[in-house]
Amino acid sequence: MASRPNVGGWLMGKTIKKGGGATTSAHPTRSSTPQVQSTSTTVFGGGVKDPSGRISEYSSMDDQCPVCKSDRYLNPKLRLLVSACYHKMCESCIDRLFTLGPAPCPICQRTLRKLAFTPQTFEDLTVEKEVAVRRRIAKEFNKRRDDFPDLRAYNDYLQEVEDLTFNLINDIDVPQTEARIAQYRAENAALIELNIQREEQYAQALKEQEEYERQEKEQRAAEARREQEEAREERERERRQIIDRLETSNKDAATVIAKTRAETQKKSSARAAVAPFRSNSQLLRSRAAQSSTVPDVPHVPLQDDWDAYEGMYTLRDNYDDPPSEAVRRDREGIMRAGGYRVEEAWERALRCAVAGLEMAPLTSVAGDSDMDKLREVQDLPTPA
Amino acid sequence: MATNGNATDASPTEKKEDQPKKPLYESSTQCKNWRYSPEMLADVRASMNEAAVAAIRNAFEADEPGSSASVSFLNAQDEQLLVKLYLSKIPQLCGHFRFPEEVEATAMTYLKRFYLRNTVMDWHPKNVMLTALFLATKTTNNPISLEAYAGHIPKTQPSDVLDLEFLVAQSLGFEFTVWHTHRALWGVWLDLQSLDIGPDLRPPDIYEAALNHVRTSRLTDAELIYTPSQIALGCLAMTSPILAQQWMESKAALAKNTHPTMYEILAQTNEEVRVLLEQTGQLPEVETVREVDRRLKLCKNPEKVVGSKAYLAKQAEDEHKAQQRRAKKAEQVRRAAESNDPFGNDIDEKQKEALAGDLDDDDD
């Protein structure tokens, strides 16, 4: 339940399209749904968008317009749209009935307007209705958990929202419900507005971040391309230089080639050292520093009341230590592959050297209880 | 983790302010369960030997009345001799397998601890030694396959090693971690470099000699009486009293607030360790041990010799007990199945009283 407010953005049709805000026109998705062939000149809005911003329209081979009874067999371009009262009609019927202005629905007689027709997304029209109702409710009932003093109040609020939604979906006490919604709207106008703004800010932030990532990627790709190009040029130049030198000098060909190669090598390695290198992790870190997150509390691994003798020894950086010589001289780190650190081994040895120094050896015969314990232990059952 | 000079000076005073911390070594099972005084060790061994002799005598009598009179049982010292001989076999085996020193030291500790809770007359150290060594390879993360292990030891089957493994682990109380003396000696040797001593004053042959003393100490009871650091220091003191003295003084100076008597304790343990090693650090004479082993053949616990009457009797008794347990359980199941209500019938007053009486001692 608590995650519901986050879903609001999706329900309200404010799905953020990946790749930035290129879609700002009123009906951004018409061009991206070419599979639906419209016979009408009217552009119908609405419908439920999927996360990529497209409206997938439902249609089947058994479609039949309930008004004019024409079906897909007779009219392959048949497109059924849904009215505000959730009745289906084909585009030609809509054009015929509603072009001259508002008219009653041929099925339920409710007054309908042409622009209130929407494409059908779900096969089941009750789902279609539910999505629409929820989208409408979510637009106004957008309070968050932090708008409430305690969880109980928030849960009560969510329960009430769910009641209202259920009433609207199932047409129970519609006028009463509408009155309650209106009352809520009047009471909470300021908060609703604030939360809308917050949602928008969040969406904006997401969008900006995506945009930033995209730019970064492009930049890196361009950088890589440029480097490749440079390397190619370098090779070309080297080749030409070798030919020039072979022409002009009278030294051995092999030495001339080797010398030129070495020079180029030096140059290119110098350039590589200079080139600004920003790894991905660095970028991430710099971005994390920019964002205003709560600073991380340093992690304290263990807090107990045992003394590991830290006061009794001082670990030096280096020791003259023949047993660990091989590990320290191992340049490839093969012996340290498992995370072995000779400092850890040294520290363990030092700790072992000072542990228990202060314990006087036991002298007397143990008390009765100790001896009892010993006897008990000796009477261990032997395994069969 | 590494402390600098300031922290070293400051920490004792800091600790005084809040709850004083307990030294880490006192949390080890080695300190809690395997620390004895010499008298306690002797007492434990004597009482265990006594109990074992009594039990075996009973078994002999049950086998054949009057047969125990002529048997000369081993005493605690005899047992010790035998264990010591097999302790000395462990370094030889480890050399053959090229196990690291840690395995060797751990196996020897296990063997010694095992015979603080078991007697030689029940379990012959020859077999226990093999099992202890195999267990030590596993607990110190130097594993070797059982086949390879048993294959390199003459007249040994994998089952000989495995059969005792649980018994050994159980006798050790599953306390496999050991604080080792050779590591403590290494630490002392490293820490000597923090003192103001030139490298020419601490030649490596001193370390080697001290390490040899540490190896000798494994044949003795030293690790059951003293802490590893004390033994290591004692071994160093035997080879280079001057170095040991300097190191002791520096440590005692660091601990003067928390443990003012440390220097005296260490001086005493150094002396005791030296005496202990000189008196008991030698291998037993083979002839003596052979004689003990010959007697052991006659006084072995007959309940553990396959095929003897006592063994069969013990088997029969165990079987009888198991049978009784099974019957009891079957009876319970049957009774539960017979009662009509699967959720139990109503309890009437008489049963209730009986139940209330039963509740406190109904542990099984």
Side-chain angles (χ1 to χ4, degrees):
Chain A
M1 283 296 255
S3 67
R4 265 201 55 215
N6 299 337
V7 183
W10 174 73
L11 281 179
M12 281 183 275
K14 290 200 295 185
T15 315
I16 300 102
K17 202 176 165 192
K18 276 219 170 101
T23 53
T24 42
S25 63
H27 303 291
T29 55
R30 286 298 291 133
S31 59
S32 54
T33 52
Q35 76 275 17
V36 184
Q37 292 176 318
S38 176
T39 52
S40 170
T41 50
T42 319
V43 174
F44 294 99
V48 178
K49 294 168 189 173
D50 66 6
S52 68
R54 257 195 295 259
I55 299 175
S56 44
E57 208 171 316
Y58 171 78
S59 67
S60 85
M61 282 314 289
D62 308 328
D63 276 344
Q64 193 193 34
C65 174
V67 183
C68 63
K69 308 294 181 199
S70 71
D71 58 14
R72 201 167 288 289
Y73 181 74
L74 293 171
N75 177 11
K77 291 184 175 179
L78 179 78
R79 187 186 181 209
L80 295 177
L81 292 159
V82 185
S83 71
C85 52
Y86 295 95
H87 294 118
K88 288 197 264 190
M89 257 165 270
C90 71
E91 278 180 321
S92 57
C93 285
I94 295 168
D95 278 344
R96 179 168 53 80
L97 292 169
F98 301 105
T99 304
L100 293 177
C105 168
I107 299 159
C108 68
Q109 310 308 323
R110 187 176 149 185
T111 308
L112 295 176
R113 282 154 218 279
K114 190 174 178 179
L115 277 176
F117 280 83
T118 55
Q120 184 184 359
T121 309
F122 302 101
E123 181 177 2
D124 188 351
L125 281 180
T126 52
V127 176
E128 190 87 41
K129 182 177 183 184
E130 176 161 357
V131 170
V133 168
R134 285 194 182 278
R135 187 190 289 178
R136 179 195 152 194
I137 291 285
K139 202 178 271 178
E140 283 160 0
F141 290 81
N142 58 3
K143 285 193 188 176
R144 297 157 178 233
R145 167 69 187 87
D146 23 318
D147 295 332
F148 293 91
D150 56 359
L151 188 65
R152 183 65 203 241
Y154 181 51
N155 280 337
D156 288 347
Y157 160 78
L158 290 177
Q159 180 66 47
E160 198 199 328
V161 172
E162 204 50 44
D163 284 346
L164 293 175
T165 315
F166 184 82
N167 285 354
L168 284 185
I169 291 169
N170 296 297
D171 291 324
I172 305 165
D173 301 334
V174 176
Q176 239 172 333
T177 312
E178 288 292 352
R180 270 163 73 188
I181 294 175
Q183 186 194 352
Y184 167 86
R185 195 185 306 153
E187 281 168 3
N188 297 289
L191 194 57
I192 292 172
E193 188 56 35
L194 180 71
N195 277 339
I196 289 176
Q197 279 174 11
R198 275 199 236 160
E199 292 271 355
E200 276 168 2
Q201 271 170 7
Y202 177 69
Q204 188 67 26
L206 269 185
K207 218 191 273 182
E208 273 169 15
Q209 195 187 340
E210 272 171 13
E211 178 70 9
Y212 181 67
E213 271 168 16
R214 197 181 53 77
Q215 280 177 0
E216 206 176 77
K217 218 155 117 191
E218 271 175 13
Q219 213 173 341
R220 250 176 292 155
E223 186 75 11
R225 261 201 309 280
R226 198 179 55 76
E227 265 169 30
Q228 246 176 1
E229 186 65 23
E230 265 175 24
R232 204 185 52 75
E233 272 174 21
E234 190 67 31
R235 271 201 307 278
E236 187 66 24
R237 205 175 313 135
E238 181 198 336
R239 209 169 54 80
R240 244 180 285 130
Q241 208 171 2
I242 290 174
I243 293 172
D244 285 355
R245 288 200 185 175
L246 283 177
E247 265 176 12
T248 52
S249 91
N250 47 5
K251 278 185 208 152
D252 181 25
T255 43
V256 170
I257 290 173
K259 199 174 155 205
T260 322
R261 287 256 160 86
E263 274 171 22
T264 352
Q265 188 75 33
K266 218 189 313 178
K267 255 188 255 169
S268 67
S269 64
R271 207 179 42 242
V274 169
F277 178 71
R278 274 183 101 198
S279 71
N280 207 7
S281 61
Q282 269 177 324
L283 286 172
L284 277 177
R285 230 173 292 139
S286 66
R287 198 184 307 155
Q290 284 163 8
S291 69
S292 57
T293 45
V294 188
D296 228 357
V297 183
H299 172 65
V300 182
L302 200 65
Q303 277 188 327
D304 54 21
D305 51 356
W306 296 106
D307 170 27
Y309 307 102
E310 277 93 356
M312 289 293 288
Y313 63 88
T314 310
L315 184 68
R316 292 173 16 138
D317 295 336
N318 205 4
Y319 285 101
D320 168 26
D321 181 36
S324 66
E325 193 79 21
V327 184
R328 280 178 295 151
R329 280 223 308 245
D330 173 27
R331 281 184 186 279
E332 283 88 38
I334 294 168
M335 290 163 113
R336 298 185 297 268
Y340 179 87
R341 287 177 64 240
V342 72
E343 290 81 7
E344 300 270 357
W346 282 338
E347 189 171 12
R348 190 176 173 197
L350 287 172
R351 192 176 293 133
C352 198
V354 295
L357 273 181
E358 76 286 354
M359 294 180 83
L362 300 175
T363 47
S364 62
V365 178
D368 286 344
S369 61
D370 278 354
M371 284 313 288
D372 285 348
K373 205 174 82 185
L374 283 174
R375 295 230 170 74
E376 226 167 76
V377 174
Q378 282 158 26
D379 294 340
L380 280 175
T382 48
Chain B
M1 284 293 236
T3 52
N4 54 27
N6 292 338
T8 323
D9 295 337
S11 49
T13 46
E14 272 174 10
K15 264 171 224 147
K16 285 237 165 125
E17 287 166 12
D18 47 358
Q19 192 74 19
K21 289 188 165 191
K22 272 186 274 178
L24 196 58
Y25 182 71
E26 283 174 27
S27 75
S28 66
T29 52
Q30 185 165 346
C31 174
K32 280 192 269 191
N33 302 338
W34 300 101
R35 189 159 167 261
Y36 300 86
S37 68
E39 295 82 14
M40 271 165 76
L41 270 181
D43 197 47
V44 167
R45 284 175 178 147
S47 61
M48 199 174 54
N49 179 266
E50 226 169 85
V53 167
I56 296 170
R57 203 181 286 276
N58 279 342
F60 272 126
E61 294 294 327
D63 200 11
E64 207 180 318
S67 64
S68 68
S70 59
V71 177
S72 98
F73 288 97
L74 303 190
N75 60 23
Q77 282 76 29
D78 296 335
E79 291 195 33
Q80 267 304 95
L81 273 182
L82 209 56
V83 173
K84 201 180 206 181
L85 181 79
Y86 282 98
L87 274 177
S88 71
K89 301 279 184 207
I90 290 179
Q92 295 172 12
L93 270 178
C94 286
H96 177 255
F97 282 108
R98 296 179 184 280
F99 287 144
E101 181 139 30
E102 194 181 7
V103 176
E104 181 183 323
T106 310
M108 290 173 87
T109 306
Y110 286 175
L111 192 62
K112 267 183 266 180
R113 289 182 182 179
F114 179 84
Y115 282 110
L116 285 177
R117 292 181 177 178
N118 295 278
T119 160
V120 171
M121 289 179 275
D122 280 351
W123 311 103
H124 197 285
K126 181 175 65 189
N127 308 326
V128 177
M129 181 264 288
L130 295 179
T131 307
L133 180 55
F134 184 63
L135 197 59
T137 61
K138 295 198 276 185
T139 54
T140 56
N141 198 13
N142 293 285
I144 176 174
S145 84
L146 180 61
E147 285 72 28
Y149 180 71
H152 278 84
I153 303 169
K155 288 185 274 177
T156 307
Q157 296 302 313
S159 65
D160 295 344
V161 178
L162 274 198
D163 284 349
L164 287 175
E165 193 172 49
F166 187 74
L167 174 77
V168 172
Q170 198 183 29
S171 299
L172 297 174
F174 304 97
E175 293 159 3
F176 297 124
T177 313
V178 182
W179 288 61
H180 284 304
T181 309
H182 65 271
R183 179 170 289 130
L185 181 68
W186 185 29
V188 173
W189 192 249
L190 290 176
D191 208 34
L192 278 176
Q193 298 180 27
S194 300
L195 301 183
D196 197 14
I197 306 171
D200 44 331
L201 289 176
R202 39 178 175 80
D205 49 335
I206 289 185
Y207 179 67
E208 289 302 322
L211 193 58
N212 278 332
H213 286 305
V214 166
R215 286 176 184 142
T216 310
S217 79
R218 292 193 197 126
L219 292 174
T220 68
D221 292 332
E223 64 177 314
L224 300 168
I225 303 170
Y226 307 102
T227 63
S229 50
Q230 287 167 348
I231 305 172
L233 186 61
C235 292
L236 181 67
M238 286 168 75
T239 48
S240 168
I242 306 163
L243 285 180
Q245 179 80 13
Q246 280 173 322
W247 192 75
M248 264 162 69
E249 276 166 6
S250 75
K251 292 299 136 186
L254 283 179
K256 64 177 182 295
N257 290 335
T258 43
H259 303 284
T261 58
M262 188 197 265
Y263 187 84
E264 286 72 34
I265 290 172
L266 288 179
Q268 185 202 344
T269 58
N270 279 353
E271 185 58 22
E272 285 177 7
V273 165
R274 187 180 62 76
V275 172
L276 187 69
L277 257 62
E278 276 168 6
Q279 282 179 354
T280 62
Q282 296 85 19
L283 283 181
E285 278 181 38
V286 181
E287 269 314 306
T288 336
V289 181
R290 201 164 284 163
E291 195 267 331
V292 170
D293 200 30
R294 217 172 289 134
R295 277 162 58 210
L296 175 61
K297 279 211 182 71
L298 301 174
C299 68
K300 243 193 301 192
N301 191 346
E303 285 178 356
K304 297 198 164 72
V305 179
V306 181
S308 72
K309 271 188 199 169
Y311 178 81
L312 295 177
K314 171 100 173 156
Q315 293 284 86
E317 190 191 345
D318 287 348
E319 180 57 28
H320 181 63
K321 273 184 190 161
Q323 188 67 41
Q324 272 181 337
R325 269 202 301 274
R326 277 198 291 273
K328 199 174 162 194
K329 197 167 179 187
E331 173 72 10
Q332 277 174 350
V333 170
R334 193 181 55 77
R335 218 179 299 154
E338 269 178 10
S339 58
N340 301 330
D341 190 353
F343 301 105
N345 296 320
D346 290 339
I347 300 173
D348 60 35
E349 282 306 309
K350 221 159 83 185
Q351 273 177 325
K352 248 183 209 168
E353 278 165 31
L355 267 181
D358 263 352
L359 274 179
D360 2 315
D361 54 359
D362 193 21
D363 271 342
D364 49 345

